[in-house]
Amino acid sequence: MRRGYSDHKNGTTTVKVVCAVCFWLFSLVWLYAFQADVLAVSQHILSDGATHYNRSLGAIFITLALYLLQLVVSLILRQSKRSYALTYLPSMLLLALVSDFNFDSDLHYSLGSWKWIIPLVLTLWGVCVWVSKQMLSFDNHNNVSNVYFSRDVWQNVLLQLVMVLFVTFSTNTNAVLHFQAHAETSLLHGDGDEALHVGAKSLETNASLTMLRAFALSRKGEMGEHLFEYELEGKSTDLLPLKDSRSRLLLLPADTIYKHLGGRPKRPINVWQYLNAIERDSFATKAVADYVLCGFLMDKNLKAFVHALPRYYEISDSVSLPRHYQEALVMYRSNQGDTIVAHRDSVVYEQWTAIRDLKKQFPKVSERRVRALENYRGSYFYYYLYK
């Protein structure tokens, strides 16, 4: 009898330890590696910028708080070792809720679909707890301990796996939101390279991420060289979080961008009014030039681009222009029937004629777009023709 009780006690302890290790590992990795940037944005918005989220401390303290909640739940329910993992569900539910902050267009917090998910999950959990309580009489403590040890452990691990899948699929895994949150966090810490690296190869983007990439490139003086290598969305009006813009900042202060360009707008104005005003009032920094020129290119306004280019860059055979400016200039001159460009900028001109002549090789737009994406993505030619 005493040995059977000892085996049962040891088996219960083993189940508890395994469940605790699984929970701590998942929670720490989930919070530190996958949700840290989104949590930083959420805390910033909820506190109106008064507090800042720390990736390491946040992961540890949130996990500790959720584990303490589980201990309280386990003391109340006194679940058998066969279904002990059920005591982790309230903690897992809170972990999912913390990882899935929802904000409307005005950045106001909203429960969203959690209004009905929480009651539903808690109801199902209550039913599962009740059923497991009814099955307590079927526990046999006199069987060989190692057999029941194996079954009980894996049964609880399976229950925790179901909860892990629930957290994973019920929280905000929107790639673009994570790209933007990580880019803003990186820029806030002065790491422009990391901001540019995140999601660089992805075809998913939005106007806000385009604005952040333009800003990161501008700080490096490489906007005219690399902007169109990224997947872009929006037009020139989305380059700054101003009037008529679809771009918005979640974490990075807008003044960081305005200071980089020369000054903060005093009233609601659009991008072009802002750029013209700081140039007129002599507040503009050198970065404004690339915002103006790339703004015209994003709008596919080659005529305005060519007219503005000499204001900021010397146009001569001895001066090398940033890549995208050279591409746009060659394209414009070629469309104007300038035959000299074929000899002066032969390499760029050949690329332009090659992507332009895809129309003859592939009559179907879908086929032509795929070929252009494979061979010319990252050039202004591709942006101009296929975006």
Side-chain angles (χ1 to χ4, degrees):
M1 176 72 71
R2 183 173 299 174
R3 180 176 179 180
Y5 173 77
S6 177
D7 289 343
H8 174 68
K9 184 176 180 180
N10 291 337
T12 301
T13 301
T14 302
V15 167
K16 291 181 177 181
V17 170
V18 170
C19 286
V21 170
C22 290
F23 172 76
W24 272 86
L25 284 177
F26 170 70
S27 181
L28 288 173
V29 172
W30 178 254
L31 293 171
Y32 183 86
F34 294 101
Q35 296 294 329
D37 297 311
V38 174
L39 287 172
V41 170
S42 301
Q43 181 167 326
H44 176 80
I45 293 174
L46 291 174
S47 68
D48 289 327
T51 60
H52 301 284
Y53 182 78
N54 182 286
R55 178 189 292 260
S56 301
L57 293 178
I60 293 173
F61 284 126
I62 292 175
T63 301
L64 178 61
L66 295 177
Y67 182 66
L68 292 176
L69 172 63
Q70 181 274 329
L71 292 178
V72 172
V73 173
S74 67
L75 288 174
I76 295 173
L77 295 183
R78 298 187 178 278
Q79 285 294 110
S80 69
K81 64 178 180 177
R82 184 174 296 179
S83 58
Y84 182 77
L86 287 175
T87 61
Y88 281 88
L89 188 134
S91 298
M92 285 292 205
L93 184 60
L94 275 178
L95 179 61
L97 181 61
V98 166
S99 305
D100 192 43
F101 281 106
N102 293 285
F103 299 96
D104 57 26
S105 57
D106 296 322
L107 299 182
H108 294 131
Y109 176 69
S110 172
L111 276 175
S113 58
W114 287 103
K115 293 177 181 178
W116 61 267
I117 292 178
I118 292 175
L120 176 62
V121 171
L122 289 178
T123 300
L124 292 175
W125 174 64
V127 172
C128 291
V129 169
W130 180 83
V131 171
S132 67
K133 290 285 188 182
Q134 306 310 306
M135 296 179 65
L136 278 175
S137 58
F138 293 97
D139 280 337
N140 188 344
H141 301 158
N142 296 319
N143 285 326
V144 181
S145 61
N146 61 343
V147 175
Y148 278 88
F149 162 75
S150 178
R151 188 192 68 177
D152 289 337
V153 167
W154 288 110
Q155 185 168 294
N156 279 277
V157 169
L158 181 61
L159 284 173
Q160 286 196 306
L161 178 60
V162 172
M163 294 182 221
V164 165
L165 292 176
F166 167 75
V167 172
T168 303
F169 290 107
S170 65
T171 54
N172 197 329
T173 54
N174 181 286
V176 176
L177 175 62
H178 282 260
F179 292 161
Q180 182 180 350
H182 188 63
E184 291 197 35
T185 302
S186 300
L187 287 170
L188 197 63
H189 293 92
D191 192 350
D193 290 334
E194 180 62 22
L196 291 170
H197 174 74
V198 59
K201 302 300 181 182
S202 175
L203 295 177
E204 297 182 81
T205 189
N206 62 11
S208 300
L209 193 55
T210 297
M211 172 186 64
L212 293 171
R213 286 168 172 165
F215 173 57
L217 286 169
S218 179
R219 292 210 306 191
K220 298 180 66 178
E222 298 177 355
M223 196 170 174
E225 188 73 30
H226 299 295
L227 179 62
F228 294 94
E229 294 177 4
Y230 298 88
E231 191 69 17
L232 304 180
E233 181 176 308
K235 299 298 180 182
S236 61
T237 52
D238 300 310
L239 283 173
L240 296 172
L242 292 168
K243 180 182 177 182
D244 301 328
S245 174
R246 292 179 298 164
S247 301
R248 65 173 183 175
L249 292 167
L250 301 174
L251 183 63
L252 186 72
D255 284 351
T256 304
I257 301 179
Y258 299 141
K259 182 180 179 180
H260 173 68
L261 293 173
R264 179 180 182 179
K266 296 181 179 180
R267 57 185 176 83
I269 53 178
N270 63 34
V271 167
W272 289 109
Q273 290 172 329
Y274 169 75
L275 294 175
N276 291 332
I278 59 175
E279 283 194 308
R280 182 193 63 224
D281 297 336
S282 300
F283 293 129
T285 63
K286 292 181 179 180
V288 171
D290 288 324
Y291 269 83
V292 171
L293 295 174
C294 286
F296 287 136
L297 293 185
M298 289 183 69
D299 294 340
K300 301 182 181 180
N301 190 344
L302 292 181
K303 185 176 181 179
F305 165 79
V306 171
H307 178 75
L309 185 60
R311 297 199 336 243
Y312 306 109
Y313 288 88
E314 179 183 346
I315 310 299
S316 69
D317 296 339
S318 61
V319 177
S320 178
L321 291 172
R323 175 191 172 194
H324 298 314
Y325 300 163
Q326 189 174 2
E327 290 170 336
L329 191 59
V330 166
M331 189 189 310
Y332 178 79
R333 287 175 173 174
S334 174
N335 291 339
Q336 295 299 311
D338 186 348
T339 57
I340 299 178
V341 69
H343 305 286
R344 181 185 301 163
D345 301 292
S346 58
V347 176
V348 180
Y349 181 76
E350 287 174 6
Q351 292 176 343
W352 162 238
T353 55
I355 190 173
R356 184 186 59 186
D357 292 345
L358 286 177
K359 188 174 183 179
K360 300 176 183 177
Q361 303 173 38
F362 304 97
K364 292 184 178 180
V365 176
S366 57
E367 294 181 358
R368 193 159 65 244
R369 186 184 297 274
V370 170
R371 292 288 181 173
L373 180 63
E374 292 175 350
N375 299 316
Y376 302 103
R377 184 192 178 196
S379 68
Y380 182 67
F381 304 139
Y382 175 78
Y383 178 88
Y384 186 85
L385 293 176
Y386 296 102
K387 295 298 291 182

